[in-house]
Amino acid sequence: MIYCVEDDDGIRELVVYTLQNTGMDAKGFPDGEALFAALRSETPALILLDIMLPGEDGIAILRRLRAAVETADVPVILLTAKNTEYDKVVGLDSGADDYIAKPFGMMELVARIRAVLRRTQAGEPGGAEERPLTAGEICVDERAHSVFVGETEVQLTLKEYQLLRLLMKNRGAVLTRDVLLENIWGYGSESETRTVDVHIRTLRQKLGAAGAMIETVRGVGYRMGGHE
């Protein structure tokens, strides 16, 4: 089930209609209040969330979703008429999985939804390795979907977790921004590499001193340092 939160009736109805005609179940809501009422009875596979909403705006809604255990890992794609770097950074910092500026094509939207679902569903239980991933004080337990630095558990967004896991699985190798975009977000584009940089920054902050193990290879990308 895909939830679309959009106050413009025409856009909301078109999105829901398009998704339903491409084989996805979808429901539309005009504001955050209607969304949270629906969430009490069903958790969707993904939420499309407009930033400019009446009452509580999309960023505030996104932060509430990320703060709640039931919806912390639900993928969220922001939909907005705003297209400034500031708005994009705020959205990504708040835990968005992707960002699409209006006006957007319906087929592009469908492709981005499918890409996000592929990446997030690939991280579900069932394909996890038995052995935890470790690098210095950092330990990623894929079975429990948990991250520890020493004895302290670190709370990450889904994309931050996937980014850390990918870097640790390829420890010592340099991963370009385009490779990270393709593997985690499902697309690669020079214009979107800021997405990776923002997530790396917040990931390092949450890991504290251990975040220094994520090394920047200037002009190329990032790697998880240290030795096996």
Side-chain angles (χ1 to χ4, degrees):
M1 175 64 69
I2 309 296
Y3 282 176
C4 175
V5 188
E6 165 64 64
D7 63 316
D8 185 303
D9 294 342
I11 295 176
R12 185 177 68 251
E13 290 170 5
L14 178 58
V15 168
V16 170
Y17 175 82
T18 300
L19 295 181
Q20 290 175 341
N21 278 272
T22 53
M24 303 182 197
D25 292 326
K27 294 180 181 178
F29 308 97
D31 53 33
E33 183 178 356
L35 168 67
F36 285 106
L39 286 171
R40 286 194 286 269
S41 59
E42 181 179 14
T43 301
L46 182 144
I47 297 173
L48 300 172
L49 180 60
D50 187 26
I51 287 183
M52 302 298 291
L53 291 169
E56 191 174 21
D57 67 27
I59 297 298
I61 292 171
L62 175 58
R63 288 172 177 157
R64 285 180 61 188
L65 292 170
R66 290 294 175 251
V69 174
E70 298 81 5
T71 55
D73 289 339
V74 175
V76 175
I77 298 178
L78 292 178
L79 308 177
T80 178
K82 292 188 174 183
N83 195 25
T84 66
E85 181 174 325
Y86 172 79
D87 295 310
K88 181 179 292 188
V89 170
V90 170
L92 295 173
D93 274 344
S94 300
D97 294 272
D98 204 351
Y99 181 109
I100 303 179
K102 300 174 184 176
F104 50 81
M106 287 298 110
M107 290 304 99
E108 176 192 3
L109 176 63
V110 170
R112 299 286 275 272
I113 290 172
R114 286 175 173 163
V116 169
L117 289 174
R118 277 198 309 271
R119 304 304 164 183
T120 54
Q121 291 171 356
E124 291 181 348
E129 297 179 358
E130 290 291 324
R131 181 171 171 237
L133 302 169
T134 60
E137 290 292 302
I138 305 170
C139 178
V140 176
D141 187 336
E142 296 181 272
R143 292 173 299 175
H145 203 277
S146 63
V147 176
F148 282 81
V149 174
E151 299 297 319
T152 304
E153 185 169 9
V154 180
Q155 299 299 322
L156 302 179
T157 67
L158 181 59
K159 282 291 175 268
E160 290 165 352
Y161 171 81
Q162 292 175 330
L163 182 57
L164 177 62
R165 184 180 60 183
L166 185 60
L167 286 167
M168 292 183 70
K169 282 188 171 182
N170 294 275
R171 192 170 170 191
V174 179
L175 302 181
T176 67
R177 291 174 175 84
D178 281 344
V179 165
L180 293 170
L181 275 170
E182 179 62 35
N183 278 273
I184 297 175
W185 282 267
Y187 61 91
S189 168
E190 289 185 6
S191 65
E192 299 291 343
T193 55
R194 176 66 176 164
T195 299
V196 175
D197 295 335
V198 168
H199 279 75
I200 289 287
R201 187 182 73 201
T202 58
L203 179 56
R204 281 172 170 160
Q205 290 172 347
K206 291 181 179 181
L207 294 173
M213 293 199 68
I214 302 176
E215 302 171 353
T216 300
V217 181
R218 193 170 299 279
V220 182
Y222 299 95
R223 72 177 164 214
M224 179 61 68
H227 302 285
E228 293 288 355

